Amino acid sequence: MTTLKEIAKQRILVLDGAMGTMIQKYELTEQDFRGNIYTNQRGQMRGNNDILCLTRPDVIEDIHKKYLIAGADIITTNTFNAQRISQADYHMEDRCHEMALAGARIARRMADEFSTPDKPRFVAGSVGPTNKTCSMSPDVSNPAARELTYPQLYDAYVEQMDALVEGGVDAILIETVFDTLNAKVAIDAAMAVMTQRNIELPIMVSATVSDLAGRTLSGQTLEAFLASISSYPIFSVGLNCSFGADQMIGFLRQLARRAPYYISAYPNAGLPNSMGLYDETPESMAPKIGAMIDEGLVNIIGGCCGTDEHFIAEYLPLVAGKTPHRPAEASPYMQLSGLELLEVTPEVHFVNVGERCNVAGSRKFLRLIKEKQYDEAVAIARKQVEDGALVIDVNMDDGLLDAKSEMVNFLNRIASEPDIAAVPVMIDSSDWQVITAGLQCVQGKSIVNSISLKEGEEVFIRHAQDVKRYGAAVVVMCFDEQGQATSFERRIEIAERSYRILTERVGFNPLDIIFDPNILAVATGMEEHDSYALDFIRAAEWIRKNLPGAHVSGGVSNLSFSFRGNNYIREAMHAVFLYHAIQRGMDFGIVNPATKVLYSDIPADELKVIEDVILNRHAGAADELTQLANKLLEQQQTLKAQTPADAATNQRKEQWREGNVESRLQQALIKGVGDYLASDLEEALQQYARAVEIIEGPLMAGMNEVGRLFGQGKMFLPQVVKTARTMKQAVQILQPYIEQQKGDSDRKAGKVLLATVKGDVHDIGKNIVAVVMACNGYDIVDMGVMVPAEQIVAKAIEEGVDMIGLSGLITPSLEEMVNVAREMQRAGLHIPIMIGGATTSELHVALKIAPVYGGPVVWMKDASQNATVAARLMSETEKTQIVNGLDERYQHLRDDYQQQQQQLLSLDEARSQKKDFFKDTAQ
């Protein structure tokens, strides 16, 4: 017989409708639920629908029959709650296997009865989320508490799914997912049962979103949800329950654009009314389902709460002859997640992993954990995220701590903090039990730090299989049975061997492998250590060239261990090392996100000394660096020994403070230093007619320079975040003057809607645009951050705005901007869109956004341009000129891009022609 996997390639499949609301129509009594089997069972049985598989199998059989007569290709078993967690409410834990087995057999018998060679019928084993969550605390006063643990839920699911498989289901349907960790447990259990029974069945996953922002109840975005399950062999992913078809379609589009799986949708019959009933009819629902089908969004369509066989009968003609959705290509980039997606695209440059939640590296954090000062410990994690850490490393390895319980406790606590939980975690321990306990706490896709060949291949493979089982990425240390790799040759030898084992024997996705080739201390006084930094850099380049997909990381603070106590030298060494290592392929690093020294800050004479050491340019370089460090340390100690008055007199004035006020303001932004803003801005106010001109002038010039340094790899995201904070501080100081200078005129130049797009929490650029445009007479509708496309469109229509400004700092925002343009086009809007943000570009607008939208799309280089461009767009004459100019400009950019793509060499050709600027220093 044709399998479900085979037929899904050919046509759209129809799933059945609701089970629970169908059962309600039979008006069953308590006696019906008890039957002749459970007459003496304590407690109420009515409402325990799964028990009907044992006490009223005729009712369940009749429901299946109605759906099969209506034409359903797939029927779902009446086993949504047939596991111990849910059945505990009815004291029926010991009957779970029996009721799941009976549910599967009833459905199997009915499907077989209606199957024909031309129209085979399939059974999906229904697995619900249970009535408890692994990711959230039931106690508001104790965020670390959990009603349910991973092992408890895993055992319950294994029992249920084993019965379903024994009963003959064709697929496992993990549905109504509101907590991704529960879903990961279910997938883990399904794979274990199939392995044990030597069978392979499709795993279908269907989530439910809890609000119009498109998040699950446990807080994840759909993109983060997809990343969390990306390591598993999923057949289909989709949405059910929560909303009707109207509200669901926007979220389906998100899944359809990103998910490399078949897409399912089975919405409710609208939203329940005040009586708890569903108002949609089969006739009113069918056109909305038809829109999903006609748009090419789905492969499997059905119904949830409030639907019945009449709804399913209406769907059959809709799918006839229609082309099924074609799954998206899997992302070519590593995907990690907390509550938000972190996709490691080339534009990210470098993933800085916050290092301060490590008891081995932070004495303060260790003290707080020992003293049970968890709120303060959590604040350290929050501060790192605020400072720009994209991943948080957590390590509890200390001889006086119960590392396993402390790891679980801390991960559970930060899971309740949305600003921290937004980013992925790196679970860091030398004790594998601590690692696995941590993995069982996180709903997102985390990173394990680390595994190695130190204990041999058998242990290495077992650990790698665990990482894969829990859906995580992994750091692989360059250790083997002989010890730690310290030379270039040993580093790449171990990396290649580890890579082959992981990809060829474990089946690990190369994108989920992060090599740590060991950053070791240089300038130690031992000649054999002089090449450690350069060898790491060379190894990073070799790994990225020869081990496709793999990433490179390291603990940067190890590099400068010889200079403990001299923070300036340490930070300068780190800045120089990262500048060169990132150029050669290092894209992860455990660093302090609050570091103050920029590569561009280091004086040329000091830079030469430090680079001589990092790149091992000549013998004696380490001695020169030691001399420099001692000299700077002596100067620092001399200043400390002076009286405050002497220190004030003798301290060398910072060089950047000697320029004019415009230069000082620009440098304040570049360095992220707000100490002098008040006095500098007061001076600037004497020179500029309007306060807003200071924003449009020197402050914006500073922001543009930050963008340039970031693009060159001389600044990293934490430093950009510091710049944004300083800019925000400057705007706040100027705000009272701006308000005074606005004037009393009620005449508005136009109405502009501003929003930071969904998935992005950064708002400084948007806020600056709002200030500048308000000063130029525009009425601003500011929707804030993380705004979904559907809400932007609805608000634009409601407010009747003249144009929309979209902002975003991170790379995923680029795709979301395309989505907003599509939604505006779909809604029939043609008002101008202004695009701005650090990762945006005119080329991206030309290639991706403008082609999907019928109105003008203008890329704004910086906030100072918005008011001028908006004024021209408000003039019908000038608007026509702008549109014509944009069309011509964008077509030129597209043509140039296509020509460049055709001229590109193959990857192998490009690598063979690359010049090795490090060749001389490597010898």
Side-chain angles (χ1 to χ4, degrees):
M1 187 179 81
T2 308
T3 66
L4 187 59
K5 287 184 176 181
E6 292 169 337
I7 205 166
K9 298 175 184 177
Q10 302 165 14
R11 61 183 177 86
I12 298 172
L13 293 161
V14 177
L15 187 71
D16 61 8
M19 177 62 73
T21 48
M22 283 286 279
I23 289 173
Q24 291 173 17
K25 293 182 180 182
Y26 288 78
E27 299 183 347
L28 301 178
T29 66
E30 177 73 13
Q31 183 56 44
D32 288 311
F33 280 87
R34 288 181 177 274
N36 298 322
I37 309 173
Y38 304 111
T39 54
N40 298 320
Q41 180 70 25
R42 65 189 173 106
Q44 179 178 304
M45 285 292 108
R46 190 179 181 194
N48 186 5
N49 291 342
D50 304 68
I51 202 68
L52 295 173
C53 295
L54 300 174
T55 59
R56 288 297 304 270
D58 58 309
V59 171
I60 306 306
E61 185 174 301
D62 191 49
I63 292 171
H64 288 323
K65 185 175 181 179
K66 287 177 179 177
Y67 284 128
L68 289 163
I69 290 172
D73 297 296
I74 308 169
I75 56 172
T76 54
T77 58
N78 178 42
T79 57
F80 188 81
N81 286 313
Q83 31 63 29
R84 288 178 176 270
I85 309 303
S86 299
Q87 288 301 317
D89 290 347
Y90 299 98
H91 313 289
M92 296 293 288
E93 299 97 313
D94 293 338
R95 297 290 184 169
C96 293
H97 183 277
E98 188 179 353
M99 65 179 75
L101 180 60
R105 284 176 171 168
I106 293 168
R108 177 77 276 154
R109 185 170 63 252
M110 296 307 300
D112 289 346
E113 182 179 320
F114 280 81
S115 284
T116 66
D118 293 336
K119 189 175 176 64
R121 310 299 181 101
F122 302 98
V123 176
S126 172
V127 178
T130 81
N131 52 1
K132 295 181 180 179
T133 166
C134 291
S135 288
M136 293 179 283
S137 172
D139 182 356
V140 293
S141 63
N142 182 7
R146 293 293 182 271
E147 269 190 299
L148 185 63
T149 66
Y150 193 111
Q152 291 170 335
L153 184 56
Y154 175 81
D155 290 342
Y157 274 148
V158 164
E159 180 181 29
Q160 177 187 19
M161 293 187 207
D162 186 66
L164 292 173
V165 174
E166 182 181 342
V169 299
D170 299 298
I172 298 293
L173 173 58
I174 300 164
E175 57 180 335
T176 322
V177 173
F178 63 82
D179 178 353
T180 309
L181 184 52
N182 285 35
K184 288 167 69 176
V185 180
I187 296 168
D188 184 13
M191 294 173 66
V193 167
M194 287 189 277
T195 299
Q196 184 177 354
R197 287 188 170 270
N198 194 28
I199 189 172
E200 185 178 336
L201 298 176
I203 297 175
M204 305 167 66
V205 181
S206 183
T208 182
V209 291
S210 62
D211 57 35
L212 290 174
R215 290 180 180 269
T216 62
L217 184 64
S218 58
Q220 274 199 315
T221 65
L222 289 176
E223 292 88 350
F225 166 71
L226 287 174
S228 296
I229 63 172
S230 62
S231 301
Y232 302 116
I234 304 299
F235 171 72
S236 69
V237 69
L239 297 171
N240 73 289
C241 209
S242 290
F243 299 131
D246 279 343
Q247 296 84 4
M248 184 181 283
I249 192 166
F251 304 126
L252 272 182
R253 290 181 186 125
Q254 292 180 35
L255 289 180
R257 283 196 305 270
R258 294 196 70 100
Y261 319 113
Y262 295 122
I263 301 295
S264 66
Y266 47 114
N268 292 342
L271 295 170
N273 59 29
S274 58
M275 302 298 293
L277 303 175
Y278 296 87
D279 295 328
E280 288 273 19
T281 65
E283 294 75 21
S284 67
M285 186 89 154
K288 299 168 184 176
I289 297 297
M292 297 178 182
I293 294 167
D294 292 342
E295 199 175 319
L297 297 177
V298 293
N299 303 91
I300 302 165
I301 198 78
C304 202
C305 304
T307 62
D308 58 22
E309 73 275 18
H310 303 295
F311 284 78
I312 301 308
E314 287 286 337
Y315 300 168
L316 262 293
L318 301 177
V319 304
K322 295 298 174 66
T323 303
H325 167 74
R326 182 176 179 180
E329 294 291 329
S331 174
Y333 307 115
M334 172 186 254
Q335 293 186 331
L336 304 168
S337 63
L339 297 182
E340 311 285 344
L341 170 68
L342 172 60
E343 190 166 37
V344 187
T345 63
E347 292 83 3
V348 172
H349 295 302
F350 180 71
V351 177
N352 49 296
V353 181
E355 65 177 356
R356 309 312 295 169
C357 292
N358 184 329
V359 296
S362 170
R363 284 178 292 182
K364 180 180 179 181
F365 187 73
L366 173 61
R367 175 180 60 79
L368 292 173
I369 297 297
K370 282 183 175 179
E371 295 174 359
K372 311 297 181 186
Q373 300 294 321
Y374 294 120
D375 288 344
E376 291 182 53
V378 167
I380 291 177
R382 182 181 296 106
K383 181 65 165 61
Q384 289 184 99
V385 175
E386 290 172 354
D387 285 339
L390 297 180
V391 175
I392 294 294
D393 180 85
V394 180
N395 182 297
M396 296 291 178
D397 288 357
D398 182 84
L400 299 180
L401 293 177
D402 181 343
K404 181 177 176 181
S405 65
E406 294 292 2
M407 177 66 78
V408 169
N409 176 69
F410 191 74
L411 291 178
N412 284 348
R413 284 179 180 275
I414 62 175
S416 68
E417 302 283 343
D419 47 350
I420 305 171
V423 305
V425 295
M426 178 178 280
I427 302 168
D428 185 353
S429 180
S430 58
D431 184 334
W432 197 250
Q433 289 188 341
V434 176
I435 294 282
T436 53
L439 287 168
Q440 291 174 356
C441 295
V442 292
Q443 66 170 326
K445 183 173 180 180
S446 58
I447 305 170
V448 167
N449 188 9
S450 58
I451 65 175
S452 77
L453 286 162
K454 182 167 55 177
E455 298 177 76
E457 289 189 3
E458 184 180 345
V459 172
F460 180 76
I461 290 172
R462 188 167 69 245
H463 287 173
Q465 288 170 335
D466 281 347
V467 176
K468 188 181 176 189
R469 170 191 173 187
Y470 293 113
V474 69
V475 174
V476 181
M477 299 296 297
C478 285
F479 279 79
D480 67 4
E481 300 88 341
Q482 299 174 40
Q484 183 180 48
T486 58
S487 68
F488 166 73
E489 291 75 18
R490 286 273 293 142
R491 284 176 165 100
I492 66 171
E493 173 197 339
I494 295 172
E496 182 172 26
R497 180 184 170 202
S498 301
Y499 182 87
R500 301 301 171 205
I501 294 171
L502 288 171
T503 57
E504 296 171 8
R505 295 167 63 180
V506 181
F508 221 89
N509 184 345
L511 295 172
D512 291 337
I513 301 171
I514 308 168
F515 284 104
D516 185 338
N518 307 323
I519 297 178
L520 304 172
V522 294
T524 63
M526 301 177 68
E527 187 178 340
E528 58 267 33
H529 297 174
D530 289 351
S531 65
Y532 279 173
L534 179 61
D535 282 351
F536 179 97
I537 294 170
R538 294 175 61 210
E541 181 178 41
W542 188 93
I543 288 168
R544 297 303 298 273
K545 280 184 176 180
N546 295 281
L547 306 180
H551 301 267
V552 176
S553 181
V556 179
S557 62
N558 295 339
L559 179 82
S560 60
F561 195 73
S562 302
F563 297 92
R564 284 173 296 170
N566 192 328
N567 285 341
Y568 170 77
I569 283 293
R570 296 196 72 177
E571 291 193 7
M573 290 176 70
H574 300 166
V576 171
F577 174 81
L578 285 171
Y579 176 72
H580 290 288
I582 291 170
Q583 301 277 348
R584 305 281 278 198
M586 182 182 180
D587 56 351
F588 278 74
I590 301 177
V591 299
N592 180 0
T595 186
K596 297 177 181 178
V597 179
L598 306 182
Y599 180 88
S600 56
D601 280 342
I602 304 169
D605 56 338
E606 295 176 10
L607 180 61
K608 180 182 183 304
V609 173
I610 296 170
E611 286 194 326
D612 284 349
V613 169
I614 299 300
L615 303 179
N616 195 21
R617 284 175 171 161
H618 61 81
D623 293 336
E624 293 174 8
L625 180 57
T626 302
Q627 292 170 16
L628 173 63
N630 290 337
K631 174 186 170 184
L632 295 174
L633 195 58
E634 286 174 9
Q635 291 175 354
Q636 185 179 11
Q637 290 171 343
T638 300
L639 288 173
K640 283 183 178 179
Q642 293 174 345
T643 65
D646 289 339
T649 302
N650 296 329
Q651 187 171 13
R652 185 181 65 178
K653 190 174 183 180
E654 294 176 273
Q655 188 174 358
W656 69 275
R657 297 295 305 156
E658 297 174 359
N660 59 29
V661 69
E662 287 83 2
S663 171
R664 296 199 304 272
L665 286 171
Q666 291 176 34
Q667 288 299 312
L669 290 186
I670 294 167
K671 296 177 182 299
V673 175
D675 299 350
Y676 310 99
L677 278 177
S679 58
D680 285 348
L681 288 170
E682 185 177 349
E683 181 180 341
L685 284 165
Q686 307 305 313
Q687 301 178 23
Y688 287 81
R690 301 169 67 219
V692 72
E693 292 174 5
I694 302 172
I695 295 175
E696 295 175 325
L699 292 178
M700 196 53 61
M703 293 292 283
N704 290 339
E705 178 63 11
V706 168
R708 188 184 69 81
L709 292 171
F710 180 68
Q712 292 178 344
K714 295 179 180 179
M715 287 184 75
F716 307 109
L717 188 59
Q719 293 149 344
V720 175
V721 170
K722 284 172 63 181
T723 290
R725 284 213 193 94
T726 308
M727 181 67 165
K728 188 173 185 179
Q729 184 182 346
V731 172
Q732 287 171 343
I733 293 171
L734 292 172
Q735 192 68 45
Y737 301 97
I738 292 170
E739 293 298 325
Q740 290 175 10
Q741 296 166 358
K742 275 186 179 178
D744 299 325
S745 174
D746 291 330
R747 181 178 174 276
K748 293 295 181 182
K751 184 182 281 191
V752 181
L753 184 151
L754 300 177
T756 300
V757 296
K758 182 174 178 286
D760 200 324
V761 298
H762 301 92
D763 65 355
I764 183 61
K766 172 184 65 63
N767 294 345
I768 294 168
V769 170
V771 169
V772 171
M773 296 198 74
C775 290
N776 282 273
Y778 289 88
D779 188 7
I780 304 299
V781 179
D782 190 341
M783 295 190 70
V785 301
M786 296 284 294
V787 189
E790 295 79 9
Q791 293 183 22
I792 292 172
V793 171
K795 192 70 171 178
I797 295 171
E798 176 190 337
E799 294 281 348
V801 300
D802 298 299
M803 63 194 73
I804 290 177
L806 301 178
S807 175
L809 175 67
I810 58 178
T811 304
S813 300
L814 299 177
E815 183 178 345
E816 186 58 26
M817 289 174 177
V818 178
N819 183 37
V820 174
R822 285 199 189 101
E823 290 302 308
M824 290 176 64
Q825 180 73 13
R826 188 176 284 112
L829 293 175
H830 294 94
I831 58 178
I833 303 174
M834 296 184 291
I835 300 290
T839 57
T840 64
S841 68
E842 188 179 27
L843 180 61
H844 180 264
V845 169
L847 292 176
K848 300 292 186 179
I849 305 179
V852 303
Y853 185 59
V857 186
V858 190
W859 176 65
M860 315 305 297
K861 184 178 179 181
D862 62 57
S864 65
Q865 297 180 326
N866 286 76
T868 304
V869 172
R872 295 184 65 196
L873 289 169
M874 292 295 294
S875 162
E876 285 302 320
T877 304
E878 293 204 56
K879 180 180 176 181
T880 301
Q881 294 175 354
I882 287 181
V883 170
N884 291 338
L886 287 175
D887 289 345
E888 184 177 339
R889 171 68 177 161
Y890 290 163
Q891 188 59 52
H892 178 69
L893 287 170
R894 286 190 285 265
D895 291 343
D896 282 354
Y897 179 79
Q898 292 298 328
Q899 190 173 357
Q900 290 170 12
Q901 292 302 301
Q902 292 169 4
Q903 293 174 353
L904 286 176
L905 298 172
S906 71
L907 184 59
D908 289 339
E909 289 175 318
R911 284 173 172 166
S912 69
Q913 295 184 24
K914 184 180 181 212
K915 295 184 182 300
D916 190 349
F917 297 104
F918 284 65
K919 186 174 181 180
D920 294 338
T921 59
Q923 292 175 347

